[in-house]
Amino acid sequence: MALRHAVLAALLDEELSGYQLAKAFDLGVANFWHAQPQQLYAELARLEREGLVAGREIVQEARPNKRLFRVTDEGLAELERFATVAAKPSFIRDDLLVTVQAADHLDTAELIERLAERAEFAEGKAAQFEALLKGMRGERAEAEFLRYGERIGPYLTCRRGLDFERANRDWCREVIAVLRARSA
């Protein structure tokens, strides 16, 4: 997947400025596609040149003007084409896993500290995803939302992010327990 497809998908529901797009990425899309704000601005410019998004300028008083972007019919066609291509499997690239791989030759206390930091980070991200999911479904029970909700795609990708972070947290805690038991 290219960044372009993640940007197009993020713009499906509403017009967004580059700043709003960066916030949307940070809150939801980042669980499956990470991008720096400057990458997003550069991608928006490319997509606009290619006719896949259209931008319009909003004049603001006492603030700089801003540009809002929306997906064009050509952009939607590109997303539809992308959806027909077989998805490549994802791979884990994680510095912490390299460290755990070398656990038998490293300071256990230091490794436990890194794992505890990662578990705490994952717990915080999981809490963010839980809040996003609750906001998306409102007062509906999850089963009802999954059956009748208006926009199910963002909800499902957010659920994947939640599951991912919970799995990271649980794995870190398990490895910490193993390392502590071996040190005792």
Side-chain angles (χ1 to χ4, degrees):
M1 171 170 74
L3 176 58
R4 68 185 359 206
H5 300 111
V7 169
L8 289 169
L11 290 171
L12 284 174
D13 290 328
E14 61 183 322
E15 287 184 309
L16 296 175
S17 68
Y19 176 79
Q20 291 168 318
L21 179 65
K23 289 294 180 198
F25 256 72
D26 195 36
L27 290 175
V29 180
N31 81 77
F32 61 89
W33 193 270
H34 177 73
Q36 298 292 329
Q38 58 269 30
Q39 291 173 291
L40 295 172
Y41 285 103
E43 191 61 40
L44 280 170
R46 273 191 292 278
L47 291 169
E48 187 172 26
R49 279 194 308 271
E50 295 173 23
L52 301 178
V53 301
R56 66 183 177 98
E57 188 147 339
I58 302 296
V59 177
Q60 303 184 108
E61 292 189 30
R63 294 166 61 182
N65 295 344
K66 69 178 178 180
R67 289 184 58 73
L68 294 179
F69 297 90
R70 65 171 177 75
V71 176
T72 63
D73 290 341
E74 293 82 5
L76 187 55
E78 172 58 21
L79 268 177
E80 288 173 350
R81 185 207 58 76
F82 172 73
T84 66
V85 176
K88 296 177 186 173
S90 57
F91 299 95
I92 299 173
R93 290 182 61 176
D94 188 329
D95 294 346
L96 185 59
L97 288 175
V98 174
T99 306
V100 172
Q101 173 75 21
D104 300 313
H105 303 282
L106 301 176
D107 177 2
T108 301
E110 189 70 32
L111 180 52
I112 287 172
E113 191 173 325
R114 296 294 79 76
L115 287 158
E117 289 168 355
R118 179 68 64 85
E120 185 177 333
F121 175 82
E123 183 71 31
K125 288 290 285 186
Q128 286 179 332
F129 286 127
E130 287 168 347
L132 281 170
L133 289 166
K134 185 172 178 9
M136 284 185 222
R137 71 177 177 268
E139 297 302 316
R140 289 180 172 174
E142 185 171 68
E144 179 187 352
F145 182 81
L146 290 173
R147 175 111 175 144
Y148 303 108
E150 295 77 35
R151 284 279 288 129
I152 200 69
Y155 192 87
L156 292 172
T157 58
C158 193
R159 280 267 313 267
R160 176 64 179 113
L162 175 60
D163 292 345
F164 177 78
E165 293 301 344
R166 284 177 174 167
N168 283 336
R169 175 202 61 205
D170 295 347
W171 178 82
C172 288
R173 289 176 179 170
E174 180 182 349
V175 173
I176 288 169
V178 167
L179 293 174
R180 284 185 175 147
R182 290 177 59 91
S183 294

